[in-house]
Amino acid sequence: MLFRTLLHLLFLSRRKPDLGYREVARTRFITLPTDLDINRHMNNGVYFSIMDVARFDMLVRNGVWKMMLDKSWYPVVASETITFRKSLGLWDRFTIESRLVGHDDKAVYMEQRFVRPDAKGEPEIYATGFIRARFLRRVGGTVPMSEIVEALGVTDAHGIPEWLERWGTDVALPATRAEAPSVWP
């Protein structure tokens, strides 16, 4: 996965057109033999790894990556989920469509879709993932959303759908283990 990340980060993403921070980034991939599991389709964990690569592509193209480097910030995934509709097999060519959904007072929310053409050439969604991400400082600490919004020059508030905000809240872990809910006896 490191090779794919560096390939996109250092070469491919820089050759693509720039994007606005709200535009959809389309990143093309092919399913490699190393992506497969014992069932001969893409392993579920590989989907998340490839989503990382596609997010870096988007961040480079919309200028956020340079801004983060200049400010010594870096993104981390706080929560993620994926839903599968169809499997990707060996040598399947697919596109990941990445877009910023919005943000709340703590995190940025993104949607990423795995898309392949159907028999008629129409785009078909194979899987969809949602990511809740925070930004951290290299010197320590979390970057407040207000500072991120200001750095990006965002002038319009961009909330998130209520169901996505509820998901972000529901899956967030509390500060201590004692406060964490559990289904274990």
Side-chain angles (χ1 to χ4, degrees):
M1 207 50 64
L2 179 62
F3 174 75
R4 275 183 169 154
T5 303
L6 292 175
L7 179 66
H8 282 272
L9 191 61
L10 300 174
F11 300 106
L12 299 178
S13 300
R14 297 176 194 280
R15 292 189 170 107
K16 294 179 184 178
D18 291 344
L19 296 172
Y21 72 94
R22 290 202 196 262
E23 291 185 76
V24 174
R26 289 177 175 81
T27 312
R28 294 185 306 204
F29 295 91
I30 187 167
T31 308
L32 300 175
T34 54
D35 298 332
L36 303 181
D37 62 18
I38 198 154
N39 295 318
R40 297 187 315 267
H41 61 222
M42 188 184 292
N43 177 276
N44 60 310
V46 173
Y47 281 81
F48 285 125
S49 295
I50 291 178
M51 288 165 58
D52 284 345
V53 177
R55 282 195 304 280
F56 279 113
D57 175 63
M58 182 181 76
L59 292 172
V60 168
R61 294 177 60 203
N62 67 16
V64 174
W65 182 253
K66 182 178 180 342
M67 184 266 305
M68 288 187 321
L69 289 176
D70 291 345
K71 294 186 173 292
S72 294
W73 297 348
Y74 62 98
V76 293
V77 172
S79 309
E80 59 189 342
T81 188
I82 193 166
T83 302
F84 302 98
R85 188 167 172 271
K86 284 189 166 184
S87 296
L88 289 168
L90 184 60
W91 308 124
D92 279 350
R93 294 179 184 277
F94 61 96
T95 301
I96 297 184
E97 298 176 343
S98 305
R99 73 178 184 99
L100 174 69
V101 176
H103 63 86
D104 60 18
D105 59 336
K106 292 183 180 179
V108 173
Y109 293 78
M110 295 174 51
E111 177 183 12
Q112 294 184 277
R113 304 184 317 180
F114 290 73
V115 179
R116 276 186 47 83
D118 66 12
K120 297 178 185 176
E122 296 295 319
E124 183 176 11
I125 298 171
Y126 275 50
T128 301
F130 289 91
I131 292 83
R132 181 176 177 265
R134 308 276 311 262
F135 291 86
L136 304 178
R137 299 179 198 280
R138 295 245 176 246
V139 296
T142 303
V143 182
M145 278 309 303
S146 59
E147 196 172 333
I148 295 166
V149 167
E150 182 181 328
L152 291 173
V154 177
T155 56
D156 56 332
H158 196 51
I160 54 174
E162 186 255 322
W163 70 266
L164 191 57
E165 184 174 14
R166 191 173 55 247
W167 167 77
T169 302
D170 288 349
V171 298
L173 291 175
T176 67
R177 181 182 171 134
E179 298 170 339
S182 177
V183 294
W184 292 10

